[in-house]
Amino acid sequence: MDSLSVKEISCPICCEIFKSPILLSCSHSFCKECIQQFWRTKISRECPVCRRRSSKDDPPSNLVLKNLCELFERGRSHESCSSSGTEEFCGLHNERLKLFCLEDKQPACLVCRDSEKHVRHTFRPISEVISSCKVELDFLQEKLKHRKKIKVQCEKTLQHIKSQAEHTECQIKLKFEKLHQFLRDEEEIAMTSLREEKEQKNQRMKEKLEEINEHISALSHTIRDMEEMMNANEVLFLKNFSVTMERVQSSLSDPQMTPGSLIHVARHLGNLPFRVWKKMQDIVHNTPVILDPNTAHPDLLLSDDLTSLRCSTESGDVPDNPERFDEHSCVLGSEGFNSGTHCWDVEVKESSSWGLGVTTASNQRKGCDFFDSGVWSVQYRLFEESGFPVGQKLERVRVQLDYDKGRVSFSDPVTNTHIHTFTTTFTETVFPFLYSFTYLWILPNSL
């Protein structure tokens, strides 16, 4: 078939490869449909090539030529499929498209490369461009995997919100039961606040999950469509690849987990008896620092009233939300300070190693860099760089913060002994923090 040219098996009328060729008495062949259309415009049935009149109104089929044409078509189809799956020809030069113009982002043939239209353009073999496209598809696959991980995290957070809400509801009920029937109105106010926050944050997380599902679905469809197009027709795939990637790139930014997605447990439980006491004129305890469970390292278990902590493997499977420590066994107070003086006592006698003090709101809680800056603390049997070392074992440590004067002082309230004082200039909100491998307890104030 290599020695047989397209011209030799092309109809002189339509210039295409013969379709149902017939043989005239003058030995010229034509497509059956072409010669019939030609004769319909003529009075006599003459040959379009030699003008000799045909002796037959219905010329016989040229079976030999028909077989040659079919054989030629099969050979060309096989050659095209074996080279690249499907291969098209240049519409301008009828040459195979083997190159890709990087400037025009379109496939081109060898004649296109040398034409004036592509002067000083850069070309690459189609196979090389396909390889780079596969790399970008791999990138999209990684993006898809990452978004699925975010979806799992959202589902985990949604379950944790439910667990937090149930636990907080239980605690609220237990506290209000101690205050008897005349406190039911106050209990209802607190419960309503909790339910509203639960509904709000459940709704936000459901919307986040819906958004991620839409992103995953859209990206999955895009990747599948692009893969199917690439497998079916590489040239057509390349023609549309740049436009498709530009459209996909505009939506590749990953949805982010935002702070504040969990139930604000401290707002519902923190100092709850004290707040009620203002209306009851009764005696209650006020704890100056309430711990924020949303910041607690996964190995820390907080008490129901959020005033003590202990290390435990039973703390549960909590979500890795942005506020939470993931390396150091730390937890922050639920409220930060940006003015005034504040004081709180921490019982440390049952802890074999501990650290406590204040830290800036912007300090990094993920990774190992928490103690690198923005921390004013004392510590017992911890890392040297984590704060001022306390040499002797203590029962209690008093923390006194004077934000306006930039001073953080530590003392032993049992012996009324000064431990250490830091002097600095605060430029942002600071939060109390505790660090322990065993047990610490923030003591209530005496009223």
Side-chain angles (χ1 to χ4, degrees):
M1 288 289 97
D2 292 341
S3 61
L4 186 64
S5 68
V6 176
K7 184 177 180 181
E8 291 177 303
I9 56 173
S10 295
C11 173
I13 298 176
C14 66
C15 298
E16 298 289 341
I17 295 176
F18 284 108
K19 296 178 182 177
S20 301
I22 55 91
L23 179 65
L24 301 184
S25 57
C26 61
S27 300
H28 291 122
S29 293
F30 304 92
C31 296
K32 183 176 181 179
E33 182 63 27
C34 291
I35 192 64
Q36 288 177 350
Q37 288 182 1
F38 179 79
W39 281 349
R40 280 195 288 267
T41 63
K42 299 290 184 180
I43 299 177
S44 61
R45 298 184 182 275
E46 61 182 26
C47 172
V49 176
C50 66
R51 302 301 178 181
R52 181 177 175 180
R53 182 180 177 82
S54 174
S55 60
K56 296 181 180 179
D57 293 339
D58 187 14
S61 298
N62 190 338
L63 296 179
V64 175
L65 183 57
K66 180 181 179 182
N67 291 336
L68 281 175
C69 292
E70 291 177 353
L71 186 61
F72 181 83
E73 290 282 11
R74 285 198 298 270
R76 187 165 68 172
S77 174
H78 175 74
E79 179 183 354
S80 175
C81 292
S82 63
S83 62
S84 60
T86 56
E87 187 171 22
E88 293 188 357
F89 287 79
C90 176
L92 295 176
H93 308 109
N94 201 30
E95 295 287 337
R96 287 176 181 168
L97 298 170
K98 296 183 176 181
L99 302 175
F100 187 78
C101 178
L102 299 185
E103 279 73 20
D104 293 340
K105 306 296 184 184
Q106 289 293 326
C109 69
L110 294 175
V111 180
C112 290
R113 180 190 62 184
D114 300 327
S115 66
E116 183 179 358
K117 179 183 176 181
H118 294 277
V119 173
R120 290 186 292 275
H121 284 191
T122 303
F123 292 83
R124 292 289 184 272
I126 281 182
S127 59
E128 291 185 10
V129 182
I130 286 293
S131 298
S132 65
C133 292
K134 289 180 179 179
V135 172
E136 295 189 50
L137 281 176
D138 290 340
F139 169 74
L140 294 181
Q141 290 285 5
E142 289 301 318
K143 278 289 184 181
L144 179 61
K145 291 180 182 178
H146 185 60
R147 288 188 177 181
K148 288 182 178 179
K149 289 181 181 179
I150 296 176
K151 176 184 176 182
V152 172
Q153 185 64 30
C154 286
E155 292 172 341
K156 184 177 179 180
T157 301
L158 190 62
Q159 182 61 37
H160 191 68
I161 290 173
K162 178 182 177 182
S163 175
Q164 280 186 310
E166 293 173 350
H167 179 74
T168 304
E169 182 176 342
C170 178
Q171 292 304 310
I172 292 175
K173 286 184 176 180
L174 287 175
K175 292 180 183 297
F176 273 92
E177 285 174 2
K178 297 178 182 180
L179 301 177
H180 304 295
Q181 184 60 44
F182 66 92
L183 295 176
R184 294 300 180 188
D185 291 340
E186 293 296 321
E187 179 184 12
E188 184 60 28
I189 292 173
M191 292 295 295
T192 300
S193 175
L194 172 63
R195 285 192 291 266
E196 288 177 351
E197 183 177 2
K198 174 189 174 183
E199 182 63 27
Q200 180 187 41
K201 293 186 175 179
N202 268 337
Q203 183 62 32
R204 288 179 184 175
M205 195 53 57
K206 288 178 180 178
E207 291 174 356
K208 177 68 70 175
L209 273 173
E210 184 177 354
E211 176 188 354
I212 292 174
N213 280 329
E214 290 176 355
H215 279 285
I216 289 174
S217 177
L219 188 55
S220 297
H221 283 302
T222 300
I223 292 173
R224 184 172 64 252
D225 292 344
M226 293 176 72
E227 287 177 339
E228 290 176 356
M229 184 182 297
M230 182 178 66
N231 292 332
N233 191 318
E234 293 178 345
V235 174
L236 182 59
F237 169 76
L238 290 173
K239 287 181 178 179
N240 296 283
F241 184 78
S242 298
V243 176
T244 303
M245 283 304 300
E246 287 178 3
R247 186 179 70 252
V248 174
Q249 288 289 348
S250 63
S251 61
L252 281 184
S253 57
D254 289 327
Q256 299 295 320
M257 290 294 295
T258 57
S261 60
L262 302 180
I263 296 294
H264 198 328
V265 179
R267 186 179 65 189
H268 298 286
L269 297 181
N271 289 329
L272 181 60
F274 179 74
R275 289 187 280 116
V276 177
W277 169 80
K278 291 180 180 180
K279 298 181 179 181
M280 294 179 60
Q281 295 298 306
D282 202 352
I283 298 176
V284 295
H285 295 293
N286 174 41
T287 303
V289 171
I290 298 299
L291 303 178
D292 184 356
N294 296 341
T295 69
H297 184 276
D299 291 341
L300 292 181
L301 185 64
L302 305 187
S303 61
D304 288 336
D305 61 1
L306 306 177
T307 62
S308 66
L309 64 86
R310 63 183 176 88
C311 275
S312 173
T313 56
E314 302 174 357
S315 55
D317 187 16
V318 295
D320 185 22
N321 49 294
E323 304 95 329
R324 192 177 306 280
F325 287 91
D326 63 355
E327 287 290 337
H328 295 293
S329 297
C330 292
V331 62
L332 298 185
S334 62
E335 295 185 10
F337 307 123
N338 54 22
S339 64
T341 59
H342 309 272
C343 179
W344 60 94
D345 291 352
V346 182
E347 186 174 286
V348 298
K349 64 180 180 180
E350 295 185 27
S351 180
S352 58
S353 58
W354 49 263
L356 54 92
V358 297
T359 184
T360 57
S362 62
N363 198 1
Q364 178 59 251
R365 303 174 197 177
K366 304 296 185 183
C368 302
D369 301 331
F370 174 68
F371 288 103
D372 289 354
S373 62
V375 174
W376 298 268
S377 66
V378 294
Q379 57 90 5
Y380 178 70
R381 291 184 177 178
L382 287 180
F383 316 110
E384 292 183 1
E385 66 273 14
S386 65
F388 182 82
V390 176
Q392 71 277 18
K393 187 173 180 61
L394 302 176
E395 291 187 11
R396 296 180 182 179
V397 175
R398 174 166 295 166
V399 184
Q400 293 176 295
L401 168 67
D402 189 332
Y403 187 96
D404 301 320
K405 294 183 178 180
R407 189 164 58 231
V408 186
S409 297
F410 301 88
S411 61
D412 179 356
V414 178
T415 62
N416 198 26
T417 302
H418 175 260
I419 298 175
H420 188 71
T421 296
F422 292 96
T423 302
T424 186
T425 300
F426 295 116
T427 58
E428 60 176 299
T429 301
V430 295
F431 284 83
F433 83 90
L434 303 181
Y435 186 142
S436 178
F437 295 114
T438 44
Y439 177 83
L440 292 177
W441 177 36
I442 302 174
L443 300 173
N445 288 341
S446 298
L447 300 179

